[in-house]
């Protein structure tokens, strides 16, 4: 049995609506069908849907399509900006502490599970990019000879934490608890954790 494609869903939805002229109402119905079949991340833009339907012989109500497409794209931009809002507090540019990086990685993991459930590969890519940026900031400070020895050691530890989360995010919480109990960690960082938390 052949796999149902997005094009199949677009055309079938239009046919089920009795092949009307296509405007905002019809585009909304097709987007709903795509969302139900494939998930939010796979919904076509109104303009892309209109192109598919035009190829099938649909008459298009161009002004409605253009306005609906513009509004839809604006809402997509707003959604993308909001979905990583909870990470803004970690992007200050200040050196990360162990306490702050733990909170950041917990939030990254929370978002990762949400985005995986929503089948949103673009959002997952944005999370990895955010983590990679934090890792680069820590790496620069870890190598900076003008920083105190303790600061460089903390940044090297943070590098490792972020690396573990990026490689095996589902295991990070267990790993970091074991790491924090290790004699090496306790000797090197217990004073910092006690004074900050």
């Amino acid at each position: 049995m052949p796999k149902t494609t997005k094009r199949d869903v677009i055309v079938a939805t239009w046919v089920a609506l009795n092949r009307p002229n296509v405007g905002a109402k019809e585009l909304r119905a097709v987007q709903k069908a795509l969302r139900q079949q494939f998930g939010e991340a796979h919904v076509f833009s109104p303009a892309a849907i209109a192109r598919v339907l035009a190829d099938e012989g649909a008459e298009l109500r161009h002004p409605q399509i253009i306005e609906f497409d513009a509004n839809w794209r604006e809402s997509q931009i707003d959604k993308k900006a909001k979905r990583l809002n909870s990470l803004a507090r970690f992007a200050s540019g200040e050196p990360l502490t162990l306490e702050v990086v733990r909170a950041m990685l917990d939030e990254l993991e929370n978002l990762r599970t949400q985005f995986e459930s929503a089948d949103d590969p673009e959002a997952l890519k944005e999370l990895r990019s955010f983590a990679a940026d934090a890792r680069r900031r820590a790496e620069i400070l870890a190598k900076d000879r003008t920083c105190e020895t303790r600061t460089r050691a903390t940044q090297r530890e943070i590098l490792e934490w972020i690396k573990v989360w990026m490689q095996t995010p589902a295991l990070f919480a267990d790993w970091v608890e074991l790491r924090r109990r290790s004699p090496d960690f306790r000797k090197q960082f217990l004073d910092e954790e006690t004074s900050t938390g």
Side-chain angles (χ1 to χ4, degrees):
M1 189 164 124
K3 186 177 174 184
T4 302
T5 67
K6 291 172 195 163
R7 183 181 186 85
D8 295 338
V9 170
I10 291 168
V11 174
T13 303
W14 177 61
V15 169
L17 294 170
N18 295 319
R19 300 176 186 258
N21 291 345
V22 176
K25 179 182 172 189
E26 294 75 24
L27 293 170
R28 205 172 279 114
V30 171
Q31 284 186 319
K32 182 179 179 183
L34 286 169
R35 190 175 295 110
Q36 289 172 339
Q37 183 82 22
F38 300 105
E40 183 67 41
H42 301 281
V43 173
F44 279 16
S45 72
I49 294 167
R51 280 192 297 276
V52 170
L53 294 176
D55 290 346
E56 293 295 317
E59 286 188 43
L60 306 179
R61 295 194 302 271
H62 290 285
Q64 275 191 36
I65 293 168
I66 291 166
E67 183 179 346
F68 185 62
D69 189 73
N71 291 338
W72 180 82
R73 288 176 191 280
E74 191 174 312
S75 76
Q76 295 302 299
I77 291 167
D78 289 347
K79 278 184 194 173
K80 285 179 184 180
K82 287 177 185 169
R83 70 180 166 201
L84 297 184
N85 262 0
S86 62
L87 296 175
R89 63 190 166 122
F90 303 113
S92 69
E94 292 290 315
L96 293 170
T97 64
L98 294 172
E99 181 183 2
V100 169
V101 82
R102 176 63 194 266
M104 180 189 81
L105 292 168
D106 286 348
E107 182 59 19
L108 283 169
E109 182 57 13
N110 178 38
L111 290 170
R112 183 190 71 82
T113 56
Q114 285 178 34
F115 297 155
E116 275 192 353
S117 294
D119 189 24
D120 192 341
E122 187 179 327
L124 290 167
K125 188 177 175 183
E126 289 175 33
L127 284 185
R128 291 190 61 76
S129 177
F130 185 92
D133 287 346
R135 191 166 190 265
R136 278 190 289 278
R137 288 195 327 261
E139 188 172 22
I140 288 167
L141 290 172
K143 293 177 180 177
D144 186 347
R145 295 282 177 202
T146 64
C147 289
E148 293 178 6
T149 304
R150 183 174 185 87
T151 300
R152 289 198 322 266
T154 300
Q155 297 307 305
R156 283 192 298 274
E157 182 72 15
I158 286 169
L159 274 169
E160 191 63 26
W161 287 22
I162 296 172
K163 176 182 166 189
V164 169
W165 181 82
M166 289 178 79
Q167 291 176 348
T168 55
L171 300 178
F172 173 75
D174 291 335
W175 176 87
V176 79
E177 286 310 312
L178 290 173
R179 173 67 183 138
R180 288 173 57 168
R181 291 182 195 156
S182 73
D184 174 55
F185 180 88
R186 295 174 67 77
K187 180 180 174 191
Q188 195 166 14
F189 299 109
L190 187 60
D191 294 341
E192 179 179 333
E193 288 215 315
T194 304
S195 65
T196 60

